[in-house]
Amino acid sequence: MNDKISGYYLDNNQQAIVLDESQNLLVVAGAGSGKTLTILGKINYLIKYKNVLPSEILCISFTRASANSLKDKILKEFNYNMDVYTFHKLSLEILKDHHINDYEIADDNTLENIIHEFFSINIYDYPIYLKKLFKYLNIESTSKLKETYKKFYYNNYDKIIAFEKLLSTFLRLFKCNNYSLEDFSMFLKKARKTVFYFKYRKEKIFLSFALNLYLMYQNYLKENNEIDFDDMIINATKVVDKSGIKNNYKYVIIDEYQDTSIVRFNLIKTILAKTNAKLMVVGDDFQSIYRFTGCDLSLFINFEQFFDDAKIMKIENTYRNSQELINIAGDFVMRNKSQIKKKLRSDKHVDSPIEIIYYDNLHKEFCDLILRIYNISNKPIMILGRNNNDINLILDEKFELKSNGKIIFKENKNIDLYYLTVHKSKGLEEENVIIINLENKLLGIHSQIIDDKILRFVSYSNKKYPYSEERRLFYVAITRTKNKVYLLVPKNNPSIFIKELIVRYKKGLKIYKQ
């Protein structure tokens, strides 16, 4: 096959993947290496040269936006009107095909709302839980339980909210990793093995809250005839296992496979068992940054352990970044040796693609920087931060922030600026990128929030390397650029990632010390 795809010929790696006939194929695709192009090439090859019908290809992407984008590209490029699913849409269709659709889909925030309502209103009716919470949060107990809690709640609201957030994270991971009610007793047995009684008592209290809130949540769904996304996938898996699937798929293609959870994995395994379809999954373990949504990276890294007849192929030519940048970025992210080793290659060359700009006055330095970039290139500038509110670090009266993240610089409205969190930037690229909040603090890059040990019961964790996911997040950030990435760094308190860059890769950096 030598067809042009989106105006490009496939390179040797991409061509080999398109033609490969392995039963189960993992495609490890580096940042900017053209994985979407490869997926399009595979679909074109199957339909045009292998006479596979579009309805015989199950294509899955992880977000509605990415699924719609891929569907539109398939239609525009080949004129194939082919469905591209999210896991939720696929599960919903499976249930409808079997006439299991007499329910409403629960709002995404239902679990959080139930937990918040419990701690703000309902807990007053449960003295036993007030006493347990006092022990968990080390609140001095009194005979006036309700008055004591009310006073604590309003004076220490952040501690209650942090506890609520930990509970919602625990329960979301509990569900998407396919644990069941019976597993709470297993968690308690594991907690009992700790040598510290105080730690065991605290975890026992937490599990008690988690169990009861889980039951409240599930009862709410049942009473209101609602279903959440994880239960939808779990129920669809049971239906396929019992009754098969309507479409006789010959190929299953999954994008962003590094973000797979156990319940999604189980659905795919069940579909494959019923159809004997060939599987191709595409992703990049270097860009796995969604563990708290249930992503289990071991499903990607240990692909050959989960699938018989498995093969791994790599796309190692990048068309976005310069060789100089990927040398630094690749070595930086591979300090964690448990990931899949890859050597990206690029024909692009940019001297000192990473610029570190130290500042005393962030507002002044940011204004000077965007004017300097604009004078070199008038293309849009992507600004990245760790959190949604990081944009407030650089905004003052000279700027106006629009609801879509676009930023108006009043002194020069021709400069095209927009802000994203690093998580939201994944899959995107821009000529020049500025990264902010590179400060050594709790919510900086890297974030110093340490996983509560209780999450070990319900989530995949790589304990061998500290801040492994934050390291991948920084990798995603610096590889969004097609040209240069500019790191705005406080003089007095730089992120440890910046210190590491300077120690290990000083020759590839340009450093401005104002």
Short mmCIF file of all heavy atoms in Angstrom, two decimals, residues 356-359 437-441 444-446 448 488-500 502:
data_model
loop_
_atom_site.label_atom_id
_atom_site.label_comp_id
_atom_site.label_asym_id
_atom_site.label_seq_id
_atom_site.Cartn_x
_atom_site.Cartn_y
_atom_site.Cartn_z
N ILE A 356 15.06 28.48 29.70
CA ILE A 356 14.67 28.69 31.09
C ILE A 356 14.84 30.17 31.41
O ILE A 356 15.94 30.71 31.28
CB ILE A 356 15.51 27.82 32.04
CG1 ILE A 356 15.24 26.33 31.78
CG2 ILE A 356 15.21 28.17 33.51
CD1 ILE A 356 16.12 25.39 32.57
N ILE A 357 13.74 30.82 31.80
CA ILE A 357 13.78 32.24 32.10
C ILE A 357 13.47 32.42 33.58
O ILE A 357 12.34 32.21 34.02
CB ILE A 357 12.77 33.04 31.24
CG1 ILE A 357 13.10 32.87 29.76
CG2 ILE A 357 12.78 34.51 31.62
CD1 ILE A 357 12.12 32.05 29.00
N TYR A 358 14.48 32.80 34.36
CA TYR A 358 14.27 33.06 35.78
C TYR A 358 13.66 34.45 35.95
O TYR A 358 13.95 35.36 35.18
CB TYR A 358 15.59 32.99 36.54
CG TYR A 358 16.09 31.58 36.73
CD1 TYR A 358 17.05 31.04 35.88
CD2 TYR A 358 15.63 30.80 37.78
CE1 TYR A 358 17.52 29.74 36.05
CE2 TYR A 358 16.10 29.50 37.97
CZ TYR A 358 17.04 28.98 37.11
OH TYR A 358 17.50 27.71 37.29
N TYR A 359 12.83 34.59 36.98
CA TYR A 359 12.20 35.90 37.19
C TYR A 359 12.11 36.25 38.67
O TYR A 359 12.05 35.39 39.54
CB TYR A 359 10.78 35.91 36.59
CG TYR A 359 9.81 34.95 37.24
CD1 TYR A 359 9.15 35.27 38.43
CD2 TYR A 359 9.54 33.70 36.67
CE1 TYR A 359 8.27 34.39 39.02
CE2 TYR A 359 8.66 32.81 37.27
CZ TYR A 359 8.03 33.17 38.44
OH TYR A 359 7.16 32.29 39.04
N ASN A 437 4.12 28.17 36.59
CA ASN A 437 3.97 27.46 37.87
C ASN A 437 5.04 26.39 38.06
O ASN A 437 4.78 25.32 38.61
CB ASN A 437 2.58 26.85 38.02
CG ASN A 437 2.26 26.48 39.47
OD1 ASN A 437 2.98 26.88 40.39
ND2 ASN A 437 1.21 25.73 39.69
N LEU A 438 6.24 26.68 37.59
CA LEU A 438 7.38 25.77 37.78
C LEU A 438 8.06 26.10 39.11
O LEU A 438 9.23 26.46 39.17
CB LEU A 438 8.33 25.88 36.60
CG LEU A 438 7.78 25.31 35.30
CD1 LEU A 438 8.51 25.87 34.09
CD2 LEU A 438 7.84 23.80 35.30
N GLU A 439 7.28 25.95 40.16
CA GLU A 439 7.72 26.34 41.50
C GLU A 439 7.72 25.12 42.41
O GLU A 439 6.89 24.22 42.27
CB GLU A 439 6.79 27.42 42.05
CG GLU A 439 7.30 28.09 43.29
CD GLU A 439 6.50 29.33 43.68
OE1 GLU A 439 5.62 29.74 42.90
OE2 GLU A 439 6.77 29.88 44.76
N ASN A 440 8.66 25.12 43.36
CA ASN A 440 8.78 24.01 44.29
C ASN A 440 7.79 24.22 45.44
O ASN A 440 8.13 24.72 46.50
CB ASN A 440 10.21 23.93 44.83
CG ASN A 440 10.43 22.67 45.67
OD1 ASN A 440 9.84 21.63 45.40
ND2 ASN A 440 11.25 22.79 46.70
N LYS A 441 6.53 23.83 45.17
CA LYS A 441 5.47 24.00 46.17
C LYS A 441 4.44 22.89 45.99
O LYS A 441 4.50 22.11 45.03
CB LYS A 441 4.81 25.38 46.03
CG LYS A 441 4.10 25.60 44.70
CD LYS A 441 3.48 26.99 44.63
CE LYS A 441 2.74 27.17 43.32
NZ LYS A 441 2.14 28.52 43.19
N GLY A 444 2.59 22.99 42.57
CA GLY A 444 3.38 23.43 41.43
C GLY A 444 3.60 22.30 40.45
O GLY A 444 2.95 21.26 40.50
N ILE A 445 4.56 22.52 39.53
CA ILE A 445 5.01 21.44 38.62
C ILE A 445 6.44 21.10 39.05
O ILE A 445 7.35 21.86 38.82
CB ILE A 445 5.02 21.89 37.15
CG1 ILE A 445 3.62 22.31 36.67
CG2 ILE A 445 5.57 20.79 36.24
CD1 ILE A 445 3.58 22.83 35.23
N HIS A 446 6.64 19.99 39.79
CA HIS A 446 5.68 18.93 40.01
C HIS A 446 4.79 19.19 41.23
O HIS A 446 5.19 19.85 42.17
CB HIS A 446 6.43 17.62 40.23
CG HIS A 446 7.20 17.55 41.53
ND1 HIS A 446 8.31 18.28 41.80
CD2 HIS A 446 6.94 16.81 42.65
CE1 HIS A 446 8.75 18.00 43.01
NE2 HIS A 446 7.94 17.11 43.56
N GLN A 448 3.36 18.28 44.66
CA GLN A 448 3.94 17.53 45.78
C GLN A 448 2.89 16.81 46.62
O GLN A 448 3.19 16.29 47.68
CB GLN A 448 4.76 18.48 46.66
CG GLN A 448 5.95 19.07 45.93
CD GLN A 448 6.64 20.15 46.74
OE1 GLN A 448 6.29 20.41 47.88
NE2 GLN A 448 7.63 20.78 46.15
N LEU A 488 9.10 29.49 32.54
CA LEU A 488 9.18 30.64 33.44
C LEU A 488 9.34 30.13 34.87
O LEU A 488 8.47 29.44 35.40
CB LEU A 488 7.91 31.49 33.32
CG LEU A 488 7.86 32.41 32.10
CD1 LEU A 488 6.47 33.02 31.93
CD2 LEU A 488 8.90 33.52 32.20
N VAL A 489 10.48 30.47 35.48
CA VAL A 489 10.89 29.84 36.75
C VAL A 489 11.19 30.91 37.80
O VAL A 489 11.96 31.85 37.53
CB VAL A 489 12.15 28.98 36.52
CG1 VAL A 489 12.57 28.30 37.81
CG2 VAL A 489 11.91 27.96 35.42
N PRO A 490 10.63 30.80 39.01
CA PRO A 490 10.95 31.77 40.07
C PRO A 490 12.41 31.60 40.52
O PRO A 490 12.87 30.47 40.72
CB PRO A 490 9.98 31.41 41.19
CG PRO A 490 9.63 29.98 40.95
CD PRO A 490 9.67 29.78 39.46
N LYS A 491 13.10 32.71 40.68
CA LYS A 491 14.51 32.65 41.07
C LYS A 491 14.71 31.95 42.41
O LYS A 491 15.64 31.16 42.58
CB LYS A 491 15.06 34.08 41.20
CG LYS A 491 15.74 34.62 39.97
CD LYS A 491 16.35 35.98 40.30
CE LYS A 491 16.88 36.63 39.04
NZ LYS A 491 17.44 37.97 39.34
N ASN A 492 13.84 32.25 43.34
CA ASN A 492 14.08 31.83 44.72
C ASN A 492 13.57 30.43 45.06
O ASN A 492 13.99 29.86 46.06
CB ASN A 492 13.44 32.84 45.69
CG ASN A 492 14.06 34.22 45.55
OD1 ASN A 492 15.24 34.34 45.29
ND2 ASN A 492 13.24 35.25 45.72
N ASN A 493 12.68 29.87 44.24
CA ASN A 493 12.10 28.58 44.61
C ASN A 493 11.76 27.73 43.39
O ASN A 493 10.61 27.38 43.16
CB ASN A 493 10.84 28.82 45.45
CG ASN A 493 10.37 27.57 46.16
OD1 ASN A 493 11.16 26.71 46.53
ND2 ASN A 493 9.06 27.45 46.33
N PRO A 494 12.77 27.36 42.57
CA PRO A 494 12.47 26.61 41.34
C PRO A 494 12.06 25.17 41.62
O PRO A 494 12.46 24.57 42.61
CB PRO A 494 13.81 26.65 40.59
CG PRO A 494 14.83 26.81 41.66
CD PRO A 494 14.20 27.63 42.74
N SER A 495 11.24 24.64 40.71
CA SER A 495 10.85 23.23 40.77
C SER A 495 12.08 22.33 40.71
O SER A 495 13.07 22.65 40.06
CB SER A 495 9.92 22.92 39.59
OG SER A 495 9.84 21.53 39.35
N ILE A 496 11.99 21.18 41.37
CA ILE A 496 13.11 20.24 41.32
C ILE A 496 13.32 19.71 39.90
O ILE A 496 14.43 19.30 39.55
CB ILE A 496 12.93 19.06 42.30
CG1 ILE A 496 11.70 18.23 41.97
CG2 ILE A 496 12.92 19.54 43.73
CD1 ILE A 496 11.63 16.91 42.73
N PHE A 497 12.27 19.73 39.07
CA PHE A 497 12.43 19.32 37.68
C PHE A 497 13.35 20.28 36.93
O PHE A 497 14.14 19.87 36.08
CB PHE A 497 11.08 19.23 36.97
CG PHE A 497 10.24 18.04 37.36
CD1 PHE A 497 8.90 17.96 36.99
CD2 PHE A 497 10.77 16.98 38.09
CE1 PHE A 497 8.12 16.87 37.33
CE2 PHE A 497 10.00 15.89 38.44
CZ PHE A 497 8.67 15.83 38.06
N ILE A 498 13.27 21.56 37.24
CA ILE A 498 14.14 22.55 36.60
C ILE A 498 15.58 22.32 37.04
O ILE A 498 16.51 22.35 36.21
CB ILE A 498 13.69 23.99 36.98
CG1 ILE A 498 12.27 24.24 36.45
CG2 ILE A 498 14.66 25.02 36.43
CD1 ILE A 498 12.11 24.13 34.95
N LYS A 499 15.77 22.08 38.32
CA LYS A 499 17.12 21.80 38.82
C LYS A 499 17.71 20.57 38.14
O LYS A 499 18.89 20.54 37.78
CB LYS A 499 17.08 21.59 40.33
CG LYS A 499 16.73 22.84 41.13
CD LYS A 499 16.69 22.54 42.62
CE LYS A 499 16.37 23.78 43.43
NZ LYS A 499 16.30 23.49 44.88
N GLU A 500 16.87 19.56 37.91
CA GLU A 500 17.34 18.34 37.25
C GLU A 500 17.71 18.61 35.80
O GLU A 500 18.74 18.11 35.31
CB GLU A 500 16.26 17.26 37.32
CG GLU A 500 16.72 15.94 36.71
CD GLU A 500 15.68 14.83 36.83
OE1 GLU A 500 14.82 14.90 37.72
OE2 GLU A 500 15.75 13.89 36.02
N ILE A 502 18.85 21.33 34.52
CA ILE A 502 20.11 22.08 34.48
C ILE A 502 21.30 21.18 34.79
O ILE A 502 22.35 21.27 34.15
CB ILE A 502 20.04 23.28 35.45
CG1 ILE A 502 19.03 24.30 34.93
CG2 ILE A 502 21.40 23.93 35.63
CD1 ILE A 502 18.70 25.41 35.90
#
